[in-house]
């Protein structure tokens, strides 16, 4: 949902974001935290609550002990601090405090922060000032690492990756000579051993793709065709790495990223009003990967913030879906420059409707164009305008509103995108259907070779770029 009440004034002159219930719950690290935070979203256990113009809220929450928990949230980050022993971020008390702020505005009186809250807020601001000031000991003050030593390390790693790619090419050749149909008798151990060899070669990207090959043989009817397709993509990546010196610089950067070499954000930062389109977590081995999609109102760019958390802990970076932040993003090289690093934030403002979108019929061409820059793309972000979710023979699809109407009138078959199988079992599909009610909606998600995966949707009455005070964006993941 979008921001309510239009926000509050901040020291920068921009309004501070006021969140909806759905935005707050989207920050929860897991379902248990979401449920516990909801129980604490009432005034009963809280005392000493307050807020200030900078976007900070604080309060004391009565727990099982004699001393209440001290909870403070900087909503412009967002960032959280609580005296409870929980290792989750945000904890249930921070979620409860934000939910109370949404439901009971009168429970928070504008005031100077309590001493304990002010101490944390001052420390946070001081750290931010040090990091952005070279004279105060920021990264640029420490100076670059030894370039000669860094180059030698990079060369040694490149040699190991090259050895791994050559070995993988030999194994793929053996696989084809022996026949793909016989691979299901080899078991998963063969793939795991090959993946371990790629890890030894310091090529985690190759290792991850090899592990995916091992799961294909058990994926149902037609698996040899899918295995051949994935082997072809893996062979393409191997040969691209071995011939990277002959590739254009952007494609070479994409290959390095796909192989698994670490890359850093570079180039001039882009300052814009960034609309938070979606946020969701996915397991990635023993860690959790968090993806946050943003859209720049001025630049028209779509950007991906990627962060990670250890097992049992959610990533620290979190932004409320539907909010708009005034911030700088620095893009990473390769891959269409989608991934970016969040830099300095200058404040938060009320959201102003959905991003501009395209027709469903035009989306496959957008994905096809993206494949020219990154042939290994599984999907590409796109916003669909005026589409209607409708059942199909194999599941659900998103049809252009005009084509859908013509199809019902019997004048044409209409054009539509199938909804990806991964989305069919999620509750978000039914949220999308309910939001539409048979009418056109705007939907953001990813289109790939498996179909369209919806992440967020705006209600039919929402106009592109129009200011609103109600909640109208629904998160579908």
């Amino acid at each position: 949902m979008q921001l309510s009440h239009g926000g509050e004034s901040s020291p920068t002159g921009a309004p501070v974001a006021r969140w909806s219930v759905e935005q707050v719950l989207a920050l929860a690290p897991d379902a248990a935290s979401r449920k516990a935070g909801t129980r604490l979203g009432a005034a009963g256990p809280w005392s000493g609550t307050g807020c200030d113009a900078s976007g900070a809220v604080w309060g004391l929450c009565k727990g099982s002990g004699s001393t209440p928990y001290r909870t403070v949230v900087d909503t412009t980050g967002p960032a959280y601090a609580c005296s409870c022993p929980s290792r989750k971020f945000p904890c249930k008390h921070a979620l409860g405090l934000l939910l109370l702020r949404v439901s009971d505005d009168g429970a928070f009186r504008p005031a100077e922060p309590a001493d304990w809250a002010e101490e944390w807020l001052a420390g946070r601001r001081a750290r931010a000032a040090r990091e952005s000031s070279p004279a105060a000991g920021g990264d640029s003050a420490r100076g670059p690492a030894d370039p000669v030593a860094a180059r030698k390390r990079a060369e040694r790693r490149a040699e190991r990756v090259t050895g791994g790619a050559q070995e993988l090419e030999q194994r793929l050749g053996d696989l084809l000579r022996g026949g793909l149909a016989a691979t299901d008798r080899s078991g998963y151990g063969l793939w795991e051993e090959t993946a371990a060899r790629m890890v030894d070669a310091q090529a985690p990207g190759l290792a991850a793709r090899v592990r995916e090959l091992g799961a294909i043989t058990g994926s149902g009817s037609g698996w040899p065709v899918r295995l051949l397709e994935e082997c072809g993509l893996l062979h393409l990546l191997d040969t691209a790495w071995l011939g990277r010196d002959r590739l254009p610089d952007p494609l070479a950067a994409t290959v390095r990223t796909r192989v698994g070499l670490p890359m850093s954000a570079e180039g001039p930062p882009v300052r814009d009003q960034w609309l938070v389109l979606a946020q969701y977590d996915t397991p990635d081995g023993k860690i959790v990967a968090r993806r946050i999609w943003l859209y720049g109102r001025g630049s028209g760019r779509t950007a991906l913030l990627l962060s990670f958390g250890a097992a049992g802990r959610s990533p620290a970076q979190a932004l409320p879906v539907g909010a708009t932040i005034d911030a700088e993003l620095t893009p990473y090289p390769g891959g269409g420059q989608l991934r970016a690093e969040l830099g300095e934030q200058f404040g938060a403002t009320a959201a102003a409707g959905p991003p501009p979108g395209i027709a469903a019929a035009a989306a496959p061409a957008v994905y096809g164009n993206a494949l020219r820059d990154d042939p290994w793309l599984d999907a590409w972000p796109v916003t669909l305008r005026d589409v209607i979710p409708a059942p199909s023979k194999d599941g659900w699809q998103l049809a252009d509103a005009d084509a859908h109407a013509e199809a019902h009138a019997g004048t044409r078959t209409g054009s539509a995108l199938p909804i990806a199988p991964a989305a069919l079992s999620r509750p978000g599909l039914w949220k999308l259907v309910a939001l539409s009610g048979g009418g056109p909606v705007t939907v953001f998600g990813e289109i790939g070779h498996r179909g369209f995966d919806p992440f967020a949707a705006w209600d039919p009455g929402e106009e592109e770029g129009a200011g609103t005070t109600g909640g109208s964006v629904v998160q579908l993941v």
Side-chain angles (χ1 to χ4, degrees):
M1 296 187 176
Q2 290 188 349
L3 305 177
S4 60
H5 310 302
E8 304 168 338
S9 298
S10 73
T12 64
V16 173
R18 290 288 306 280
W19 298 356
S20 69
V21 171
E22 186 166 286
Q23 287 172 328
V24 173
L25 294 179
L27 302 176
D30 51 40
S33 298
R34 191 176 298 115
K35 183 177 181 180
T38 301
R39 289 198 297 266
L40 295 175
W46 292 97
S47 62
T49 54
C51 63
D52 68 8
S54 70
V57 293
W58 60 89
L60 301 172
C61 186
K62 183 179 180 181
S64 56
S66 58
T67 304
Y69 296 121
R70 296 175 170 181
T71 308
V72 56
V73 179
D74 180 358
T75 61
T76 63
Y80 325 91
C82 186
S83 60
C84 74
S86 174
R87 299 180 62 185
K88 297 180 180 179
F89 294 96
C91 67
K92 63 181 181 181
H93 305 101
L95 293 170
L97 183 66
L98 290 173
L99 290 172
L100 177 63
R101 178 70 166 132
V102 172
S103 63
D104 189 358
D105 190 58
F108 293 81
R109 59 181 182 85
E112 292 297 319
D115 291 343
W116 52 269
E118 176 59 33
E119 181 180 358
W120 179 79
L121 291 167
R124 172 172 162 76
R125 292 161 186 159
R127 287 192 299 273
R130 286 196 301 270
E131 291 172 359
S132 62
S133 173
D139 291 341
S140 57
R142 292 192 291 268
D146 183 351
V148 175
R151 186 178 67 253
K152 290 182 177 179
R153 287 194 298 270
E155 290 173 351
R156 287 196 298 269
R157 179 165 187 176
E159 291 175 358
R160 298 190 67 174
V161 174
T162 296
Q166 292 171 339
E167 179 181 347
L168 185 54
E169 278 296 283
Q170 294 175 356
R171 296 198 176 203
L172 288 175
D174 294 341
L175 177 66
L176 291 176
R177 282 189 293 271
L180 291 179
T183 56
D184 61 336
R185 295 195 294 269
S186 302
Y188 191 75
L190 172 65
W191 303 105
E192 186 59 37
E193 189 269 337
T194 304
R197 294 288 295 166
M198 296 305 104
V199 172
D200 292 340
Q202 295 185 297
L206 295 180
R209 285 189 168 269
V210 169
R211 290 192 178 98
E212 291 174 0
L213 292 181
I216 292 178
T217 56
S219 61
S221 176
W223 65 263
V225 175
R226 293 190 291 275
L227 182 61
L228 180 60
E229 292 172 348
E230 294 301 322
C231 285
L233 286 172
L234 188 53
H235 167 68
L236 181 64
L237 184 55
D238 278 343
T239 54
W241 170 262
L242 297 174
R244 63 191 180 281
D245 294 338
R246 300 188 298 274
L247 298 178
D249 289 342
L251 184 55
T254 297
V255 170
R256 289 193 292 269
T257 300
R258 291 295 182 181
V259 165
L261 295 188
M263 306 291 287
S264 58
E266 59 184 35
V270 179
R271 181 176 177 179
D272 206 338
Q273 302 288 326
W274 296 97
L275 170 64
V276 184
L277 297 170
Q279 173 181 294
Y280 60 96
D281 296 345
T282 55
D284 189 359
K286 295 183 179 180
I287 61 177
V288 175
R290 171 165 293 171
R291 289 169 170 81
I292 302 176
W293 286 105
L294 306 174
Y295 172 76
R297 291 285 184 187
S299 64
R301 298 179 64 160
T302 301
L304 172 66
L305 304 181
L306 190 60
S307 57
F308 301 92
R313 300 191 64 180
S314 63
Q317 191 172 67
L319 294 173
V321 175
T324 303
I325 59 172
D326 181 2
E328 290 182 341
L329 296 187
T330 303
Y332 281 75
Q337 291 193 322
L338 278 181
R339 187 184 173 190
E341 183 177 281
L342 181 62
E344 185 175 359
Q345 299 183 53
F346 304 95
T349 62
I358 62 174
V366 173
Y367 176 50
N369 290 333
L371 286 173
R372 292 185 298 186
D373 296 325
D374 186 351
W376 302 276
L377 272 176
D378 288 326
W380 186 259
V382 67
T383 300
L384 304 180
R385 182 190 68 247
D386 294 335
V387 292
I388 298 175
S392 64
K393 181 177 66 174
D394 299 320
W396 284 81
Q397 61 186 3
L398 291 173
D400 288 320
D402 293 342
H404 184 74
E406 293 174 357
H408 274 278
T411 57
R412 55 173 293 181
T413 58
S415 57
L417 290 176
I419 291 181
L424 296 178
S425 59
R426 292 200 304 256
L429 173 62
W430 302 110
K431 291 183 181 180
L432 176 60
V433 173
L435 181 70
S436 166
V441 291
T442 297
V443 185
F444 168 76
E446 292 182 354
I447 181 173
H449 59 280
R450 296 181 179 89
F452 183 83
D453 196 352
F455 295 159
W458 287 259
D459 69 40
E462 187 65 32
E463 295 183 4
E464 179 184 313
T468 62
T469 57
S472 58
V473 69
V474 175
Q475 189 166 355
L476 306 176
V477 288

